[in-house]
Amino acid sequence: RKAQIGVTGLAVMGRNLARNFARNGYTVAVHNRTYGRTRELVEQFGGEGDFVPAASSEEFVAALERPRRVLVMVKAGAPTDAVIEEFAALLEPGDVIIDGGNAHFEDTRRREAALRERGLHFVGAGVSGGEEGALHGPSIMPGGPPESYESLGPMLERIAARAPDGTPCTAHVGPDGAGHFVKMVHNGIEYADMQLIAEAYQLLRDVAGYSPAEIADIFGRWNEGRLESYLIEITAEVLRHTDAATGRPFVDVVADRAEQKGTGRWTVQTALGLGTPVPGIAEAVFARSLSGHAELRAAAAALPGPQTRDGGGRMAPDEAAAFAERVERSLYASKIISYAQGWDMMRAGSEEYGWHLDLSATAAIWRAGCIIRAGFLDRIRGAFTNDPWLPSLLADPAFAKELGEAQQAWRDVVAAAAAGGVPAPGMAGALAYYDALRSDRLPAALLQGQRDFFGAHTYQRTDREGTFHTLWAEDRSEVRA
Ligand code: 6PG
């Protein structure tokens, strides 16, 4: 019997994807650098489906039906290159190599171009949903040549999560690196979402005076409304959890230094290159890095904070409940802003690389399976279905209306954060973005004047076409540049 798919790299993500394929009725060839892992997989989970364990890459390739489909699940970077090279040498034209790791999309573009030369199809596929998602149904974002999707797509559709309307959470995203680009933006949005939720928690705790368990209940309630999402749900779980060793809230015993594997950073670096403003994602990445700088934090630890009313403490119950309501609005509005920035970035990437991304389809395949899954994504899908040329999510009538309704509470919360000395860079930055975009005049005009003054960098006028320069050091008359 021949295997319809092969998975090489059997760490937890690879193993769970292999099991997912097998549980869905596919014969799956499995391979790992060290055979022990392969044997272990078959011993532990062999009963779940049809696995063909391969001890060598040659045996692995020989076990596959043609066109061969090889899913590579190894560490991004050099290990991925090494494994691709190892298998490319054994494959034949028309065969497909899929990289399901978190590769940088520029690496994917390079690999795709190189393998195309050799007649092989290379699919960089973003896979989201963590270990559980890989096993029970992830969101899958495959890029690469469209023809590769003909043979691969139906298999991915079988193992992917399903949106509430029953559609599989996968689709061909676009050529070459489009899949990994979109996954990268997903992670940038994931960072922003997590940061905003974390800020909401700290405001509820330090301004309203709620306990972690009470905040868990608040998040639990929010999860039944428009904020319903996997991240809000797990936030409630984490906040409700008590540390067994100390009996204290778990969140109080975890070191407050956030780590990152780097995909959020890539998103921001890429956005800088594309010239797309994604301050919500950037603030989230910087908030993580700030938290890890013990020496900076120690140096500033003695600086004074605000003189809080009554020395801080709990708000009266009614006041706290009203504040929580405003935090919900602020969180929701800020969330719209960070998703708007993520979609701007996908549009910019699509134009830069000629991918023709379908912005509505991206929202559709994130409705289930991935870390940012939420009912909210269906609304974004709807916004871009109604108007594929929507210039910004903020321009969608439904989202615009909600922002309008939330904005006063949002201002109050950002003001309360500043007054209370609670850092809320995500919410404050999101509000600044909202205000900047809706501004009729920005101080960018003054910046242009400064640039022209010190560097003769020129400017345009509001009332006439052309490029101008003021002779600042002379008689300050204006000349055409
Ligand atoms: C997903 C996640 C995943 C990511 C981890 C950790 O979509 O399943 O985005 O791919 O690697 O969540 O990311 P950080 O270590 O950067 O927080």
Side-chain angles (χ1 to χ4, degrees):
R1 75 197 192 276
K2 289 270 186 182
Q4 285 115 350
I5 184 126
V7 180
T8 180
L10 300 177
V12 62
M13 288 298 285
R15 184 181 67 201
N16 283 2
L17 285 169
R19 291 173 61 197
N20 190 347
F21 277 115
R23 288 164 156 213
N24 275 288
Y26 294 110
T27 299
V28 187
V30 283
H31 171 262
N32 194 66
R33 196 167 44 85
T34 50
Y35 188 66
R37 274 231 166 112
T38 313
R39 195 176 45 226
E40 214 175 272
L41 166 66
V42 178
E43 276 168 11
Q44 279 184 41
F45 306 108
E48 293 183 344
D50 194 14
F51 294 100
V52 184
S56 67
S57 40
E58 290 79 7
E59 215 180 286
F60 178 69
V61 166
L64 296 167
E65 70 173 32
R66 298 207 54 200
R68 300 183 186 89
R69 291 170 283 261
V70 175
L71 172 59
V72 178
M73 293 301 300
V74 300
K75 266 210 180 76
T80 299
D81 276 313
V83 171
I84 290 173
E85 194 37 56
E86 177 183 350
F87 287 98
L90 301 170
L91 296 176
E92 292 169 274
D95 289 348
V96 188
I97 299 181
I98 308 118
D99 174 13
N102 264 335
H104 194 291
F105 76 98
E106 290 284 14
D107 285 336
T108 303
R109 284 165 56 76
R110 167 177 61 76
R111 290 170 184 145
E112 196 276 331
L115 292 172
R116 193 183 334 131
E117 292 279 295
R118 296 160 75 170
L120 297 172
H121 294 307
F122 183 66
V123 175
V127 178
S128 179
E131 300 174 21
E132 283 296 297
L135 184 59
H136 299 292
S139 167
I140 314 175
M141 297 146 251
E147 53 273 38
S148 64
Y149 197 79
E150 285 165 28
S151 86
L152 189 62
M155 301 184 67
L156 298 182
E157 288 170 18
R158 277 270 280 283
I159 68 154
R162 285 182 185 273
D165 69 2
T167 40
C169 288
T170 186
H172 181 247
V173 172
D176 62 80
H180 276 139
F181 180 92
V182 161
K183 173 59 171 42
M184 176 186 77
V185 175
H186 165 282
N187 280 30
I189 294 173
E190 170 186 307
Y191 276 48
D193 244 353
M194 292 168 71
Q195 173 65 22
L196 292 170
I197 292 171
E199 290 176 14
Y201 151 74
Q202 201 180 356
L203 286 161
L204 292 171
R205 188 146 189 200
D206 293 351
V207 177
Y210 284 116
S211 70
E214 288 169 322
I215 301 171
D217 291 341
I218 293 172
F219 277 108
R221 279 198 297 282
W222 289 354
N223 197 41
E224 276 152 30
R226 59 188 178 171
L227 281 169
E228 173 275 307
S229 62
Y230 172 71
L231 284 171
I232 293 279
E233 180 192 326
I234 65 163
T235 301
E237 299 266 346
V238 173
L239 287 172
R240 204 169 281 127
H241 184 57
T242 303
D243 175 52
T246 59
R248 293 170 57 201
F250 168 79
V251 71
D252 287 349
V253 300
V254 176
D256 61 346
R257 293 184 298 272
E259 295 173 12
Q260 51 185 313
K261 292 204 214 76
T263 46
R265 183 166 50 231
W266 290 349
T267 315
V268 178
Q269 286 168 335
T270 305
L272 289 171
L274 290 168
T276 309
V278 293
I281 300 171
E283 288 294 2
V285 175
F286 284 132
R288 287 195 190 191
S289 82
L290 183 152
S291 75
H293 275 283
E295 73 299 356
L296 293 179
R297 293 177 62 182
L303 293 175
Q307 290 158 1
T308 45
R309 5 150 264 146
D310 314 328
R314 267 186 100 95
M315 279 180 174
D318 285 0
E319 198 191 345
F323 181 71
E325 169 63 28
R326 291 198 292 277
V327 173
E328 190 272 348
R329 291 178 181 224
S330 182
L331 176 54
Y332 185 71
S334 302
K335 181 180 171 97
I336 296 175
I337 299 296
S338 42
Y339 282 67
Q341 293 169 5
W343 257 264
D344 287 350
M345 190 170 167
M346 288 193 276
R347 188 195 309 278
S350 181
E351 279 167 15
E352 174 72 18
Y353 298 102
W355 284 330
H356 303 284
L357 296 183
D358 177 340
L359 299 179
S360 159
T362 316
I365 65 174
W366 289 348
R367 287 179 297 174
C370 65
I371 303 294
I372 66 168
R373 62 184 179 259
F376 186 67
L377 268 318
D378 198 48
R379 306 204 30 223
I380 299 183
R381 182 197 59 77
F384 283 101
T385 305
N386 290 343
D387 180 4
W389 304 108
L390 194 66
S392 162
L393 214 48
L394 274 58
D396 172 72
F399 285 119
K401 180 163 175 283
E402 289 180 319
L403 285 169
E405 287 162 1
Q407 59 113 16
Q408 196 51 57
W410 193 6
R411 295 182 195 289
D412 293 346
V413 168
V414 169
V422 174
M427 288 187 190
L431 180 58
Y433 178 90
Y434 171 83
D435 281 332
L437 285 193
R438 63 172 198 85
S439 282
D440 164 40
R441 289 284 293 162
L442 288 171
L446 177 59
L447 296 178
Q448 285 293 81
Q450 293 165 331
R451 295 177 65 249
D452 191 58
F453 190 105
F454 65 65
H457 292 302
T458 75
Y459 52 89
Q460 273 94 43
R461 297 181 55 101
T462 56
D463 55 355
R464 265 181 283 143
E465 287 292 309
T467 300
F468 302 90
H469 167 54
T470 289
L471 301 169
W472 295 101
E474 297 166 38
D475 63 355
R476 306 206 165 180
S477 59
E478 185 174 77
V479 294
R480 279 191 181 265

